């Protein structure tokens, strides 16, 4: 596909907009810097376009549309660039619409309005100044759109639901180039579809997210040794099955491997309590696990901005990375069987250069699913009648392209084995979380036939010519 004519037309239509063309050092640097994973930045677009306003995005869509319909152009949309699935927000030889210069954060009337190019760190800095919080990424480096269009977990998910459930309005440029709003009163079907529907409906240029009062919280991370992991999994399941469990906790539990810690796996708990209570009893069983690696315990009082900075960590630039996931009922035997399957897959690839990987458990308490339903619902298909469930994510980072097949193959095999095992126990939940999905997974299909059909209906209504199906091939499509 020769996109030179398309680029020329776009340059004429958008004389004030920054175009970065392939073959320049600036293009290479921008493409590398935009993405967390080298699986994404290895993809080289013909051109990267960086609009600053919704009007420029609208002009972009109107200009590229005839070329898409003629089969002469395709594009990708990228915000924060954290999602590692190759091609979900970048495009070989096409045009990447980079939203990074769409800036602006405004707090008023119980909302924070966030432009699509922002990251969560600056949002939290502004909210903390006013004694406020919102449902957003746990990492200050995370972009807005990937989470707010796919579900999204926050420090407050047990109480508030998914991040998308607190998006009260999406400002979106549709396939026609029209700028529309989607909320409970205006384009309500599109609003619900965007809560989980990914990049299938338009270019979202602003997110209006509900705020709430939020002071300091208690939280951090602690590391401990592999033999204690099973008893912590038991404690996690027990907590999820308690009828009177607090909604103020946010728990993540991982078994991980990095050569830096030696040949054995090491466990980590990331624990948060959303109230300003030091050492809350609700976290005792997870915070007091023994033996711990004492100098790596970060549990303390902190504000939301500090918590997100700690979570952001430091992933080396151009590190290769991938995520894949499944979901199961909160069941000890299923989660521990998964642990063994994951460890078996890890063993033959431990020597791969720079390998860091984890088996990460993130619970969705029943209260989280109930909060989603009360806030207008979403597209994910997770009914509160499921009870508490656990997201199992396989996260992996490594150095060399030559190891891609071996590492991805090992963990894909483990994921399939765990799905078979969980299914045989009657504990598998047919749900795949879009933001932790790899290319072979089908998150949209996992929302259920009725939800997928509704997403397709909304797509035909708001994008009848299929601009965001044909013209944006990356990510997970509806048709």
């Amino acid at each position: 596909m020769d996109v030179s004519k398309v680029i020329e037309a776009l340059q004429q239509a958008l004389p004030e907009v920054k175009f970065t063309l392939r073959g320049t050092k600036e293009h290479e640097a921008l493409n590398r810097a935009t993405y967390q994973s080298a699986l994404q930045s290895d993809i080289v677009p013909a051109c990267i376009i960086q609009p600053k306003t919704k009007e420029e995005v609208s002009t972009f869509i109107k200009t590229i549309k005839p070329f898409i319909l003629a089969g002469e152009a395709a594009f990708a949309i990228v915000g924060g660039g954290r999602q590692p699935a190759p091609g979900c927000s970048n495009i070989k030889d096409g045009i990447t619409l980079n939203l990074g210069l769409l800036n602006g954060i405004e707090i008023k009337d119980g909302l924070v309005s966030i432009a699509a190019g922002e990251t969560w760190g600056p949002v939290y800095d502004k909210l903390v100044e006013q004694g406020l919080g919102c449902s957003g990424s746990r990492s200050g480096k995370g972009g807005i759109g990937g989470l707010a269009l796919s579900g999204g977990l926050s420090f407050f998910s047990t109480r508030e639901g998914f991040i998308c459930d607190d998006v009260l309005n999406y400002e979106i440029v549709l396939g026609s180039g029209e700028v529309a709003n989607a909320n409970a009163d205006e384009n309500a079907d599109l609003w619900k579809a965007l809560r989980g529907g990914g990049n299938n409906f338009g270019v979202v240029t602003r997110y209006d997210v509900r705020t709430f009062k939020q002071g300091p919280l208690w939280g951090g991370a602690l590391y401990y040794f592999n033999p204690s992991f099973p008893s912590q999994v038991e404690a996690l399941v027990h907590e999820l099955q308690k009828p009177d469990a607090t909604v103020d906790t946010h728990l993540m539990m991982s078994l991980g491997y990095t050569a830096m810690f030696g040949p054995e796996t090491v466990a980590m708990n990331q624990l948060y309590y959303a109230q300003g209570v030091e050492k809350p009893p609700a976290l005792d069983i997870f915070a007091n696990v023994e033996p711990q690696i004492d100098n790596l315990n970060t549990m303390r009082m902190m504000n939301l901005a500090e918590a997100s900075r700690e979570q952001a960590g430091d992933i080396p630039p151009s590190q290769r990375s991938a995520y894949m996931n499944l979901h199961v009922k909160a069941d000890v035997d299923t989660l521990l069987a998964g642990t063994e399957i994951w460890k078996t897959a890890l063993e033959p690839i431990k020597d791969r250069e720079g390998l860091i990987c984890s088996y990460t458990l993130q619970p969705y308490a029943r209260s989280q699913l109930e909060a989603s339903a009360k806030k207008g619902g979403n597209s994910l298909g997770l009914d509160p009648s499921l009870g508490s469930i656990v997201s199992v994510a396989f996260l992996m980072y490594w150095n060399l392209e030559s190891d891609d097949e071996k590492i991805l193959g090992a963990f894909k095999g483990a994921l399939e084995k765990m799905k078979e095992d969980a299914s045989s126990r009657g504990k598998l939940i047919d749900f795949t979380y879009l933001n932790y999905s790899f290319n072979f997974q089908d998150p949209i299909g996992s929302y259920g036939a009725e939800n997928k059909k509704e997403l397709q209906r909304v797509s035909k209504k708001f994008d009848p010519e299929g601009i965001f199906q044909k013209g944006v091939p990356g990510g997970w499509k509806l048709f």
Side-chain angles (χ1 to χ4, degrees), residues 224-233 253-255 267 339 359 361:
Y224 55 100
F225 295 99
N226 180 18
S228 301
F229 189 69
S231 63
Q232 287 289 288
V233 171
M253 195 171 283
S254 298
L255 194 65
T339 308
Y359 173 83
L361 309 180

Side-chain angles (χ1 to χ4, degrees), residues 64-374:
I64 200 170
K65 180 179 170 181
F67 293 97
I68 289 169
L69 294 175
E72 294 171 0
F75 70 101
I77 310 157
V78 64
R82 312 312 281 175
Q83 199 168 350
C88 73
S89 55
N90 204 0
I91 185 165
K92 185 177 187 293
D93 301 330
I95 292 163
T96 294
L97 185 69
N98 183 318
L99 304 180
L101 299 183
L102 280 170
N103 298 129
I105 302 163
E106 187 182 3
I107 302 166
K108 66 174 185 185
D109 304 329
L111 290 175
V112 55
S113 292
I114 313 166
E118 293 289 349
T119 54
W120 287 101
V123 175
Y124 294 149
D125 287 336
K126 284 187 186 285
L127 287 171
V128 164
E129 287 172 8
Q130 298 191 27
L132 296 171
C134 76
S135 295
S137 174
R138 294 162 299 186
S139 165
K141 291 181 181 175
I144 313 302
L147 290 165
L149 293 169
S150 65
L153 295 175
S154 77
F155 294 117
F156 311 106
S157 285
T158 307
R159 187 183 72 207
E160 304 293 345
F162 292 94
I163 292 168
C164 69
D165 298 321
D166 270 349
V167 180
L168 300 186
N169 180 67
Y170 295 91
E171 178 188 86
I172 182 170
V173 180
L174 301 171
S176 61
E178 177 197 348
V179 180
N181 285 288
N183 52 60
D185 301 316
E186 192 179 353
N187 301 315
D189 50 355
L190 177 59
W191 175 58
K192 187 173 177 182
L194 287 165
R195 292 172 149 197
N199 65 2
N200 282 295
F201 303 99
V203 181
V204 179
T205 49
R206 194 189 76 233
Y207 301 81
D208 297 337
V209 181
R210 189 177 72 88
T211 59
F212 43 79
K213 286 183 179 169
Q214 181 62 47
L217 48 88
W218 175 260
L222 55 93
Y223 290 80
Y224 55 100
F225 295 99
N226 180 18
S228 301
F229 189 69
S231 63
Q232 287 289 288
V233 171
E234 285 179 29
L236 176 69
V237 170
H238 178 68
E239 176 68 19
L240 287 170
Q241 291 173 345
K242 265 190 205 168
D244 59 343
T246 172
V247 297
D248 284 314
T249 57
H250 180 65
L251 310 170
M252 288 178 278
M253 195 171 283
S254 298
L255 194 65
Y257 171 79
T258 167
M260 186 172 68
F261 280 151
E264 295 305 315
T265 53
V266 171
M268 175 174 68
N269 290 349
Q270 291 165 287
L271 312 170
Y272 296 89
Y273 188 74
Q275 305 295 332
V277 177
E278 195 162 327
K279 298 186 178 176
L283 294 180
D284 277 353
I285 194 163
F286 307 109
N288 298 334
V289 57
E290 292 292 347
Q292 287 184 34
I293 304 172
D294 290 332
N295 61 344
L296 293 179
N297 184 320
T298 68
M299 298 295 294
R300 65 195 189 281
M301 292 299 297
M302 59 176 90
N303 66 38
L304 180 54
E306 289 165 341
S308 76
R309 279 196 286 275
E310 180 175 309
Q311 278 278 333
D314 281 312
I315 294 163
S318 301
Q319 181 97 341
R320 309 185 78 73
S321 65
Y323 306 156
M324 43 191 80
N325 74 101
L326 74 157
H327 290 71
V328 297
K329 292 180 181 174
D331 177 72
V332 175
D333 291 343
T334 303
L335 294 168
L336 292 181
T339 308
E340 293 307 313
I341 291 166
W342 178 84
K343 281 160 74 174
T344 300
L346 167 65
E347 205 54 44
I349 56 170
K350 274 184 176 176
D351 61 347
R352 298 297 95 185
E353 187 181 308
L355 181 66
I356 301 170
C357 56
S358 72
Y359 173 83
T360 295
L361 309 180
Q362 300 182 91
Y364 305 170
R366 185 189 176 105
S367 58
Q368 177 176 335
L369 306 186
E370 287 170 345
S372 288
K374 283 177 192 158

Side-chain angles (χ1 to χ4, degrees), residues 68-69 175 459-460 462-472 479:
I68 289 169
L69 294 175
S459 169
K460 284 176 181 168
F462 289 95
D463 183 19
E465 293 173 291
I467 299 302
F468 289 90
Q469 300 304 307
K470 302 171 201 152
V472 183
F479 298 96

